[in-house]
Amino acid sequence: MKAGAGPAILIDMAAGDELLPKPTGPGGTGNGPAVSRREFDALFASVRTWGRWTPADRGAWNRVTADHVRRAMAEVRTGTVVPMALPWNTRPAPDNKRPALHHMTDLGDVESPEPSTHKDFIAADYHGKGVTHLDALCHIAYRGQLYDGRAAREVVDAAGARFGAVSALGPLVTTGVLLDLPAALGTRWLEPGQAVHADDVIAAEEALDVTIGEGEAVLLRTGGVRRRVELGAWDPDTASAGFHVDAVPLLAERGVVLLGSDGDSDVRPSPVDGVHSPVHALAVAAMGVPLLDNLDLEALSAATAEAGRHRFLFVVAPLNVPGGTGSPVSPIAVL
């Protein structure tokens, strides 16, 4: 383990018992070690890819070539299609403070002319915890700058974003990797507030017999959806499992193009002083890597376990919203 990298996932291969790391963060939440703002700024600079790609507002998605897509298609063996979106959630809850809207606008009660129709309306303030969504590159600024050093105030206004909008991304088709931490640990879920460190990623790769490659999408399963079903909702803004910032250099080195999670990829509480979503800042603003938040990875966990492999064809197509900061999405995996 690198110095200051935090507790690793310990896997006793001889005994077959997996041990959760001991809590080390503030309040015993396991989200540490703490990172100063100065350390974070140095980390931001070290993973920054500004000026690397054209067009810049597609960021790391520029890595994905036709060869990547062909290799992803080769991952399909059984043809099993697994959706990863949460149900459209209109009920208030601790993790759904701004519920989505859905109501009928036409109940087929017009007698003439035929045929009758049924119509509905949906809407969502989707950048929260209740809707599966994609974060575009204009969604996150750090120290006033979007990805590629664009000043946020100059390119984002009430009309939307003129750089880094979701409409610039288009659909992504590549190889997906499920980093199933509970499966690697032999536990039901990670507890809210538990950080996933670089050493944990490597240990999980070994346990799951999978290696993250360049141009691939990485999906982190913490088991939060299963925990919610069994124990009830909690406020994930207060505590949620996710990546510690010390895992980001490894992911940057591997050349990932997208990060997703059944949370929002960040461990909470944040271990970084004065930065509430440090993985968001590093991934989106520094590396140009979009994020998928609030996935349901339970069916994918079961499917990959049955198939005995954790790689698959991954497809996500955001809505074409000019100037949009992201989009509700329904990603799919095909095994």
Side-chain angles (χ1 to χ4, degrees):
M1 181 185 301
K2 296 179 181 179
I9 295 172
L10 302 178
I11 304 178
D12 185 346
M13 300 303 292
D17 294 327
E18 291 77 26
L19 306 176
L20 282 170
K22 295 180 180 179
T24 59
T29 61
N31 68 332
V35 177
S36 70
R37 190 66 172 271
R38 181 178 179 180
E39 291 171 323
F40 180 77
D41 285 348
L43 178 56
F44 188 97
S46 73
V47 299
R48 190 169 54 197
T49 60
W50 295 0
R52 180 174 299 184
W53 292 298
T54 301
D57 55 359
R58 296 193 77 244
W61 285 34
N62 284 288
R63 292 184 187 271
V64 180
T65 65
D67 285 340
H68 286 93
V69 176
R70 284 192 288 268
R71 288 196 294 269
M73 297 291 289
E75 295 291 343
V76 178
R77 301 176 190 175
T78 65
T80 302
V81 178
V82 184
M84 292 179 274
L86 294 171
W88 197 251
N89 194 344
T90 61
R91 295 186 177 184
D95 55 354
N96 193 27
K97 298 174 183 178
R98 302 188 299 275
L101 304 178
H102 178 217
H103 63 259
M104 300 301 295
T105 58
D106 188 337
L107 295 177
D109 51 3
V110 178
E111 295 182 2
S112 179
E114 292 287 1
S116 60
T117 61
H118 304 89
K119 303 176 184 177
D120 53 356
F121 168 89
I122 61 172
D125 186 359
Y126 59 87
H127 283 299
K129 309 300 183 184
V131 177
T132 302
H133 67 269
L134 178 76
D135 290 343
L137 301 192
C138 63
H139 176 53
I140 298 292
Y142 182 64
R143 296 196 180 276
Q145 292 182 300
L146 300 175
Y147 177 70
D148 213 44
R150 308 300 176 99
R153 289 185 177 182
E154 295 179 4
V155 296
V156 183
D157 56 28
R162 295 181 296 280
F163 175 84
V166 71
S167 52
L169 293 176
L172 177 65
V173 180
T174 191
T175 301
V177 173
L178 180 64
L179 204 62
D180 195 336
L181 264 293
L185 285 164
T187 190
R188 299 172 74 79
W189 52 69
L190 301 186
E191 287 296 336
Q194 180 60 55
V196 176
H197 299 273
D199 286 352
D200 300 337
V201 173
I202 293 171
E205 285 181 314
E206 294 176 353
L208 301 171
D209 192 26
V210 67
T211 301
I212 298 165
E214 188 267 344
E216 297 182 346
V218 175
L219 308 181
L220 172 66
R221 177 176 175 260
T222 71
V225 172
R226 180 175 184 176
R227 188 183 191 278
R228 188 187 194 278
V229 169
E230 296 191 18
L231 300 183
W234 73 96
D235 183 358
D237 285 325
T238 301
S240 60
F243 288 115
H244 190 278
V245 295
D246 65 22
V248 175
L250 173 64
L251 298 171
E253 178 183 330
R254 299 289 182 85
V256 302
V257 296
L258 180 143
L259 291 179
S261 177
D262 49 12
D264 67 0
S265 294
D266 268 286
V267 66
R268 301 184 189 280
S270 168
V272 182
D273 181 37
V275 183
H276 67 82
S277 299
V279 172
H280 275 63
L282 293 173
V284 179
M287 298 163 53
V289 172
L291 298 180
L292 279 174
D293 295 347
N294 313 321
L295 297 169
D296 183 347
L297 298 175
E298 296 307 297
L300 184 58
S301 175
T304 54
E306 181 177 357
R309 55 193 179 93
H310 290 77
R311 299 169 64 82
F312 42 85
L313 171 66
F314 171 83
V315 181
V316 60
L319 298 174
N320 187 1
V321 182
T325 64
S327 170
V329 289
S330 184
I332 61 169
V334 187
L335 280 72

